[in-house]
Amino acid sequence: MNLHATLLLFLAPLIVTIVHARLFADDFIRLPSEKSHSVGTRWAVLLAGSNGYWNYRHQSDVCHAYQLLKNGGIKDENIIVFMYDDIANNEENPRPGIIINHPDGDDVYHGVPKDYTGEDVTVDNFFAVLLGNKTAVKGGSGKVVNSGPNDHIFIYYSDHGGPGVLGMPTSPYLYANDLIDVLKKKHASGTYKSLVFYLEACESGSIFEGLLPQGLNIYATTASGPDESSWGTYCPGEHPSAPEEYDTCLGDLYSVAWMEDSEVHNLQTETIQQQYHLVKERTSNGNGNYGSHVMQFGDLQLSKEELYLYLGTNPANENFTYINSNSLRSSSKAVNQRDADLLHFWHKYQKAPEGSARKIESRKQFAEAMAHRMHVDSSIKLLGKVLFGIEKGPEVLNEVRPAGQPLVDDWDCLKTFVRTFETHCGSLSQYGMKHMRSIANFCNAGITKEQMMEASSQACPTFPSNSWSSLGNGFSA
């Protein structure tokens, strides 16, 4: 053995030790300011799926999210915003041209791109934008997620929801199986490195449970479990309350939790997982009556990544350190998302002068909303009894599948049954989405299309005249 070979043999263990130590130092000792920023392009899709002033909070959430991303250095060309845009200049808005997401908050509406507004806020446009398919987009700015294999995508969706479905200001609504199919197509196209999805809606856990597979490099969190409501916050009468002049909730509990957390931490050092736990704690609100259980799905290892990969980072926060305790204030009370419209109409009625047109209008709005709710609830209950009998009907309506299973096996059946119900009984609307599980259970129990049609005609012999029941905008499915 020559001298060089002897020296190499002698030094090999030392070289390995030095290399390992260097790798360890790079991974664990590197300072935040030394971290590489050579990530791919950050893309964001922000969607508020409702309209109407009583749903103020959804567009407020999305506008706040835009400001957060903008302050994080993400360019407008890479942020795509869907919002109906009927809030800021609504005659009900006490501060015309301004939207706030916190009782003491600044205007979050200024500068927000109007990519897709009004009737352009559709499921088809959302899917086309996500897939980067410019030719499939109808209306709007035409901006799409033109991402590449090294890019990071953030999706934030705030709206009403129900088991297996998310609301839209237009018809049809967004169904879980269609969303998952689009996410799979996006992954198959090889046009992103990783994708994070934050979802605010009632029963939002049902959108991913049993449906979102691992291996797509997608991590999702939801405001609630698959069988519970999410909650509005900064509402009239709660603490902290919306300013006196507001008759509506300013935000949603899960949404303001992740955004307000992002504003008080250095996102170069805070991980998605750390934020998840803080948001989960705040959203549960320490009280099962006024909170929900935040959940996570998909490739959970992505949660170990720092938030700046998706949200950017605000230079003003570079000296902030992560504190492993929740400094975010929780609400003493929150409002069930589905009751936020009633809260708006009620406060509007209470504050209106006696005998005024506003008093009369708000009383009518409240009464019509309540009548619609009672009609939908009673129609679904009667439908269950017609199909399964007086005793078994309620049991089938309320059945919840074991954890890990999707809402329904045959999604086409669910959509067909929704259309059948609405043909005879009127629109489910944002409130009636709560009954999607019951309708899915009809499919799971083997009810045929003919049986559903006959039972619906018996449950609703006349079509309701209530404006909430109108099918003027089309079917929900």
Side-chain angles (χ1 to χ4, degrees), residues 52-54 56 85-99 245-248 344-345 348 357-359 361-362 365:
Y53 186 75
W54 50 89
Y56 182 105
D85 197 25
D86 61 339
I87 300 301
N89 296 304
N90 193 294
E91 63 180 10
E92 300 275 357
N93 188 7
R95 302 180 188 178
I98 291 173
I99 294 178
E245 67 268 28
Y246 284 85
D247 299 323
T248 187
H344 165 67
F345 298 142
K348 179 179 172 181
R358 185 176 178 83
K359 191 89 165 178
E361 179 193 31
S362 55
Q365 288 174 315

Side-chain angles (χ1 to χ4, degrees), residues 219-248:
Y219 172 82
T221 75
T222 62
S224 61
D227 55 357
E228 63 178 350
S229 298
S230 62
W231 296 78
T233 192
Y234 302 142
C235 303
E238 77 167 68
H239 180 76
S241 175
E244 177 64 25
E245 67 268 28
Y246 284 85
D247 299 323
T248 187

Side-chain angles (χ1 to χ4, degrees), residues 5 14 31 45 47 77 81 94 103 105 117 184 224 271 321-322 343 391 394 396 402 414 421 447 470:
L14 180 60
L31 296 173
V45 181
L47 196 155
E77 64 194 65
V81 179
T117 60
K184 288 178 179 178
S224 61
T271 66
T321 55
Y322 178 79
L343 181 75
E391 291 187 4
V396 173
L414 173 61
F421 174 85
I447 295 298
S470 171

Side-chain angles (χ1 to χ4, degrees), residues 131-175:
L131 292 173
N133 187 352
K134 289 182 75 74
T135 60
V137 168
K138 296 180 181 179
S141 67
K143 195 191 301 182
V144 299
V145 178
N146 189 26
S147 53
N150 295 317
D151 295 350
H152 301 274
I153 301 173
F154 175 68
I155 303 174
Y156 169 56
Y157 194 114
S158 179
D159 188 29
H160 291 282
V165 67
L166 297 172
M168 275 284 189
T170 54
S171 294
Y173 292 159
L174 192 161
Y175 284 77

Side-chain angles (χ1 to χ4, degrees), residues 56-270:
Y56 182 105
R57 62 199 180 280
H58 300 136
Q59 294 184 51
S60 175
D61 292 337
V62 160
C63 289
H64 188 177
Y66 165 77
Q67 302 297 342
L68 178 71
L69 296 172
K70 185 71 172 178
N71 290 336
I74 302 180
K75 300 175 182 178
D76 278 0
E77 64 194 65
N78 300 121
I79 305 173
I80 300 150
V81 179
F82 288 79
M83 58 184 289
Y84 205 81
D85 197 25
D86 61 339
I87 300 301
N89 296 304
N90 193 294
E91 63 180 10
E92 300 275 357
N93 188 7
R95 302 180 188 178
I98 291 173
I99 294 178
I100 59 174
N101 196 225
H102 184 280
D104 303 317
D106 296 328
D107 175 29
V108 293
Y109 183 67
H110 70 279
V112 176
K114 308 289 182 59
D115 291 310
Y116 299 91
T117 60
E119 297 302 303
D120 295 332
V121 183
T122 66
V123 172
D124 287 345
N125 275 346
F126 173 55
F127 287 166
V129 164
L130 185 54
L131 292 173
N133 187 352
K134 289 182 75 74
T135 60
V137 168
K138 296 180 181 179
S141 67
K143 195 191 301 182
V144 299
V145 178
N146 189 26
S147 53
N150 295 317
D151 295 350
H152 301 274
I153 301 173
F154 175 68
I155 303 174
Y156 169 56
Y157 194 114
S158 179
D159 188 29
H160 291 282
V165 67
L166 297 172
M168 275 284 189
T170 54
S171 294
Y173 292 159
L174 192 161
Y175 284 77
N177 69 309
D178 296 325
L179 174 62
I180 300 302
D181 285 347
V182 166
L183 293 176
K184 288 178 179 178
K185 287 179 183 177
K186 185 68 176 176
H187 177 261
S189 71
T191 53
Y192 69 89
K193 185 173 184 180
S194 55
L195 185 154
V196 167
F197 200 128
Y198 280 14
L199 176 57
E200 172 80 64
C202 292
E203 286 92 16
S204 46
S206 67
I207 302 300
F208 299 113
E209 184 170 57
L211 293 170
L212 180 63
Q214 295 185 342
L216 299 182
N217 289 336
I218 294 176
Y219 172 82
T221 75
T222 62
S224 61
D227 55 357
E228 63 178 350
S229 298
S230 62
W231 296 78
T233 192
Y234 302 142
C235 303
E238 77 167 68
H239 180 76
S241 175
E244 177 64 25
E245 67 268 28
Y246 284 85
D247 299 323
T248 187
C249 300
L250 302 181
D252 290 293
L253 192 55
Y254 160 87
S255 295
V256 300
W258 76 259
M259 286 185 277
E260 291 179 8
D261 173 76
S262 298
E263 290 172 333
V264 297
H265 284 128
N266 181 352
L267 302 188
Q268 294 182 63
T269 58
E270 184 180 9

Side-chain angles (χ1 to χ4, degrees), residues 281-316:
E281 179 185 348
R282 181 178 179 184
T283 306
S284 67
N285 218 13
N287 183 341
N289 294 325
Y290 299 111
S292 58
H293 301 86
V294 175
M295 301 188 72
Q296 57 183 345
F297 300 91
D299 295 303
L300 303 188
Q301 74 274 11
L302 290 178
S303 69
K304 297 178 182 178
E305 295 182 333
E306 287 84 5
L307 285 160
Y308 83 96
L309 289 173
Y310 304 91
L311 306 182
T313 181
N314 188 339

